Amino acid sequence: MNVRLTSLLLTYFFVLAPAMYFDLGEQEEKCIIEEIPEDTLVTGFLLLEYWDVNRASNPHLGLTVSARDPQHEVILLKRFGRQGKFTFTSHASGQHFLCVRSNSTRFSVFAGERLKVHLDVQMGKHTLDPNAAKAKDTIKAMEYNLQHLIDQMWYISRQQDFQREREETFRQMSEETNGNVLWWAIIQTSILLSVGFWQMKSLKDFLIEKKLV
């Protein structure tokens, strides 16, 4: 059974990453890459269905979700049915790999159906509960929304710190590269001058030996 691994290079700069959907073959795996700050709670919602809306649902159809940190260590591995919710917390800043794979139990010779995966990835301590807007107690709803706003401000602060760390890393790399280029230019110039002086001395010694000067 051949598993095709396709990386969808998607980086989100919003507090809540927008929902998306993509096609997935049975027995196939696809991944997305997320830039996630350290110590950030990531929550995902997924739904699996056939592209053909008239296609009867397979009770054995499901998804396996895995997440790897920047060191490629597995921090989440879970199986779901046609829909589900997953959460994990990042332990280091950087690129995290979120992979989704169909885990249909059908034989691979019949695994030719195209599937549609709906994926909604959200970052932050809490996600906004849609039932909060319908709460009878307006004060509690306002408190919930205020707490949600505070959590999102915290996440934005973490994201800014993460971006500053990346900028500092790139600045140090640039300074090191510029220093190496400068020293290499000095070494090349020294070699050229040394070769030039040696050639001039050799030519002078040759002319003196031949009594041409």
Side-chain angles (χ1 to χ4, degrees), residues 53-66:
V53 294
N54 297 321
R55 177 75 163 80
S57 177
N58 183 356
H60 302 292
L61 191 63
L63 291 171
T64 298
V65 177
S66 62

Side-chain angles (χ1 to χ4, degrees), residues 5-25:
L5 177 59
T6 306
S7 295
L8 305 176
L9 304 177
L10 301 173
T11 305
Y12 299 100
F13 297 97
F14 302 99
V15 173
L16 295 181
M20 60 180 170
Y21 67 87
F22 51 87
D23 72 309
L24 184 71

Side-chain angles (χ1 to χ4, degrees), residues 14 33 74 82 109 132 142 151 186 195-196 201 204 210:
F14 302 99
I33 298 177
V74 177
R82 294 184 58 251
V109 67
M142 292 178 63
D151 292 337
I186 293 174
V195 171
K201 186 177 183 303
K204 181 179 179 181
K210 297 299 182 180

Side-chain angles (χ1 to χ4, degrees), residues 125-136:
K125 283 191 174 181
H126 298 281
T127 56
L128 188 60
D129 185 359
N131 295 324
K134 301 179 181 179
K136 296 181 180 179

